[in-house]
């Protein structure tokens, strides 16, 4: 880990990379957890992938509330394959795991939103899980609807020493701004929010159009549903040690700790960046999309130029413009740079074989993305692919916008 800075207490801080939203597909016994996630996403497999291949120092494994997952964690701890840290978190080789859960809330008169609750250790997660059980339909599955007010969920998370983070807040489905409310304060207590997760189709500049977000640390996480997607988005943090206590201090920007960079997709690569046709998926990548989202009953209903449908999925870009309380984005001084990361798997020429060669030579994806020189890359994957990887670091590749559930893509040959 790279040295970062020293706090007022003269503790040496280090740069650590973290992805705090990774789903579990199934337990070690084969019980499904996140239905839409890959079945090889077990707790142990995620830890191994993050530590050995991705090279991330911190991960948040969601769905740790499920009884089958808690049994898996307890077994790994009993065997000595993992260990709990005194200041919170579970250590596996070079990576610390934070236990979390994604839950669904719905306030009367508002839409659906997903939130993330993180607990410091397995004992706290077990107690939280027991408390949660009467308020959900199926404790064994991910992203369950909680039949309680969102503020009650916040208070209970804090009571167990946990952290509360609204998830992917701009996506069109099941998020605070995308589907639930125009203002976060309408459904949650802003004083008990520890950070806010941006989601794939938005960046810091877009978030700067909404003033109530100014106080919060922003996170860019992968929301991984497969092993390959872990650390597709991630964060750089300044922390003294890889523990839950230090992570909480970083999110709250205490004693020199903090998020020092967000590494997220260029919003145009996100699945819901622009408005798209709900029937055929055609992405409306122009200012015409604003007219689609702001149509009133007395206006002519716009139609998709490809199939003629009048039904559209509103893109994050258009949604933010419609609820913004600022004409121009304002980024608070505490907010770190947003580094538009193009994941290796998005780069033309980097397939499974090429990625395997890169990992064999450089060890982890973090080394490929941050440390390997163009000359070193050239020796492994050839000049053309090496040049694309370097251009991706500096966001100099042409992109086609995503929308309607389809990722954007890198365009070559223009």
């Amino acid at each position: 880990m790279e040295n970062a800075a020293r706090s007022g207490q003269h503790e040496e801080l280090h740069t650590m990379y973290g992805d705090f939203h990774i789903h579990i597909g199934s337990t070690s016994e084969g019980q499904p957890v996140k239905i839409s996630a890959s079945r090889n996403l077990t707790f142990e497999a995620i830890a191994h992938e993050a530590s050995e291949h991705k090279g991330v120092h911190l991960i948040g494994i969601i769905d740790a509330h499920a009884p089958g997952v808690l049994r898996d964690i307890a077994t790994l701890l009993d065997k000595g394959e993992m260990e709990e840290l005194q200041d919170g978190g579970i250590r596996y080789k070079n990576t610390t795991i934070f236990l979390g859960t994604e839950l669904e809330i719905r306030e009367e008169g508002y839409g659906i939103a997903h939130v993330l609750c993180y607990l410091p250790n397995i004992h706290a997660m077990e107690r939280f899980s027991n408390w949660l059980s009467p308020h959900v339909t199926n404790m064994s599955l991910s992203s369950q609807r909680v039949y309680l007010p969102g503020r009650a969920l916040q208070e209970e998370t804090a009571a167990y020493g946990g952290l509360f983070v609204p998830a992917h807040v701009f996506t069109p489905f099941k998020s605070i701004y995308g589907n639930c409310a125009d203002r976060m304060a309408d459904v949650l207590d802003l004083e008990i929010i520890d950070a806010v997760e941006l989601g794939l189709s938005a960046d810091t500049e877009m978030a700067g159009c909404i003033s109530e977000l100014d106080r919060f640390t922003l996170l860019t996480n992968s929301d991984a549903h497969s092993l390959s997607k872990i650390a597709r988005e991630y964060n750089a943090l300044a922390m003294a040690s890889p523990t839950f206590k230090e992570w909480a201090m970083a999110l709250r920007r205490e004693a020199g700790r903090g998020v020092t960079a967000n590494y997220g997709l260029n919003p145009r690569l996100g699945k819901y960046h622009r408005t798209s046709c709900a029937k055929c998926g055609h992405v409306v990548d122009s200012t015409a999309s604003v007219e689609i989202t702001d149509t009133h009953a007395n206006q002519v209903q716009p139609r998709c130029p490809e199939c003629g449908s009048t039904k559209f999925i509103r893109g994050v870009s258009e949604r933010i413009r419609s609820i913004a309380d600022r004409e121009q984005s304002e980024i608070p001084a505490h907010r770190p740079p947003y580094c538009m990361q193009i994941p290796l798997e998005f780069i033309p020429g980097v397939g499974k074989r090429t990625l395997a060669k890169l990992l064999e030579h450089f060890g982890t994806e973090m080394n490929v993305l941050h440390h390997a020189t163009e000359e070193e890359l050239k020796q492994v994957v050839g000049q053309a692919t090496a040049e694309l990887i370097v251009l991706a670091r500096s966001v100099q590749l042409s992109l086609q916008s995503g929308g309607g559930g389809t990722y954007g893509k890198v365009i070559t040959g223009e």
Side-chain angles (χ1 to χ4, degrees):
M1 290 175 281
E2 305 162 26
N3 288 344
R6 294 179 179 272
S7 73
Q9 287 74 30
H10 304 291
E11 292 175 281
E12 186 175 4
L13 304 185
H14 306 275
T15 295
M16 304 182 195
Y17 296 117
D19 175 7
F20 306 107
H21 191 157
I22 303 167
H23 279 285
I24 293 177
S26 69
T27 68
S28 63
E29 297 175 347
Q31 296 174 306
V33 181
K34 182 72 173 179
I35 298 297
S36 58
S38 171
R39 290 295 174 264
N40 65 1
L41 273 173
T42 63
F43 190 89
E44 185 175 16
I46 293 168
H48 178 79
E49 180 72 13
S51 183
E52 300 298 305
H53 298 151
K54 298 294 181 175
V56 287
H57 308 107
L58 312 164
I59 56 172
I61 299 186
I62 306 305
D63 311 322
H65 71 282
V69 175
L70 285 169
R71 287 194 296 271
D72 283 347
I73 299 169
T75 298
L76 291 164
L77 291 171
D78 289 343
K79 288 181 177 179
E81 295 180 22
M82 298 183 183
E83 65 172 335
E84 284 207 277
L85 302 176
Q86 183 176 351
D87 285 335
I90 294 175
R91 191 69 176 168
Y92 174 79
K93 294 186 178 180
N94 299 315
T95 299
T96 297
I97 303 160
F98 301 135
L99 305 181
T101 180
E102 183 174 36
L103 298 167
E104 184 174 298
I105 61 172
R106 183 167 191 175
E107 304 292 325
E108 185 176 353
Y110 295 92
I112 298 169
H114 280 189
V115 298
L116 302 168
C117 306
Y118 301 91
L119 283 301
N121 51 54
I122 188 172
H123 178 61
M125 181 56 83
E126 287 171 340
R127 292 170 60 209
F128 183 80
S129 179
N130 290 334
W131 169 82
L132 189 64
S133 182
H135 307 294
V136 301
T137 301
N138 191 337
M139 281 293 291
S140 296
L141 295 180
S142 171
S143 309
Q144 290 291 285
R145 167 81 180 276
V146 180
Y147 293 91
L148 285 171
R151 291 177 175 87
L153 184 59
Q154 288 182 272
E155 291 168 2
E156 199 68 20
T157 301
Y160 289 109
L163 299 171
F164 186 91
V165 179
H168 43 72
V169 293
F170 294 116
T171 53
F173 307 108
K174 300 181 179 181
S175 76
I176 291 292
Y177 294 120
N179 183 70
C180 180
D182 289 352
R183 291 291 171 263
M184 193 176 294
D186 292 341
V187 292
L188 294 173
D189 183 346
L190 300 187
E191 301 300 323
I192 325 178
I193 293 175
D194 296 287
V196 169
E197 182 184 69
L198 279 173
L200 299 183
S201 300
D203 61 13
T204 297
E205 184 174 358
M206 296 166 75
C209 294
I210 299 175
S211 60
E212 73 173 349
L213 289 177
D214 287 354
R215 65 166 77 183
F216 299 116
T217 293
L218 300 181
L219 292 174
T220 42
N221 298 321
S222 68
D223 196 354
H225 285 50
S226 65
L227 289 174
S228 66
K229 295 295 192 292
I230 294 173
R232 173 183 52 186
E233 296 80 36
Y234 53 95
N235 310 271
L237 303 95
M239 295 165 52
S241 60
T243 66
F244 191 91
K245 178 181 177 181
E246 283 283 326
W247 184 45
M249 293 175 69
L251 296 188
R252 296 163 182 165
R253 305 187 298 277
E254 297 173 351
R257 280 77 167 166
V259 173
T260 57
N262 297 120
Y263 290 90
L265 286 181
N266 184 309
R268 294 188 65 196
L269 289 174
K271 293 194 292 185
Y272 300 104
H273 181 60
R274 300 307 304 262
T275 294
S276 62
C277 175
K279 182 177 181 180
C280 74
H282 173 71
V283 176
V284 185
D285 199 4
S286 72
T287 54
S289 57
V290 178
E291 298 175 18
I292 289 170
T293 62
D294 294 338
T295 299
H296 299 288
N298 61 349
Q299 294 177 333
V300 176
Q301 186 82 341
R303 294 182 177 274
C304 172
E306 294 294 318
C307 71
S309 173
T310 58
K311 295 183 178 180
F312 295 86
I313 298 173
R314 180 169 47 184
V316 169
S317 177
E318 287 74 41
R319 172 59 175 164
I320 290 176
R321 282 202 291 269
S322 73
I323 64 173
D325 59 351
R326 289 171 172 157
E327 292 187 8
Q328 299 294 326
S329 174
E330 296 180 19
I331 300 176
H334 69 78
R335 196 150 286 165
Y338 183 96
C339 306
M340 291 189 182
Q341 185 82 51
I342 297 178
L344 291 173
E345 64 176 311
F346 278 74
I347 300 173
V350 182
K352 290 184 178 180
R353 290 184 180 180
T354 300
L355 181 57
K357 288 170 64 177
L358 287 166
L359 293 180
E360 182 181 357
H361 190 85
F362 297 106
T364 67
E365 289 190 23
M366 291 298 111
N367 286 336
V368 176
L369 290 168
H370 291 282
H371 303 303
T373 66
E374 182 173 353
E375 187 59 37
E376 290 171 335
L377 291 167
K378 194 183 302 181
Q379 298 301 315
V380 179
V381 296
Q383 181 172 342
T385 301
E387 287 179 353
L388 287 176
I389 292 173
V390 172
L391 287 173
R393 290 174 177 172
S394 53
V395 201
Q396 295 183 43
L397 295 175
S398 298
L399 305 176
Q400 177 177 305
S401 293
T406 301
Y407 288 108
K409 62 182 181 179
V410 175
I411 304 171
T412 59
E414 293 189 348

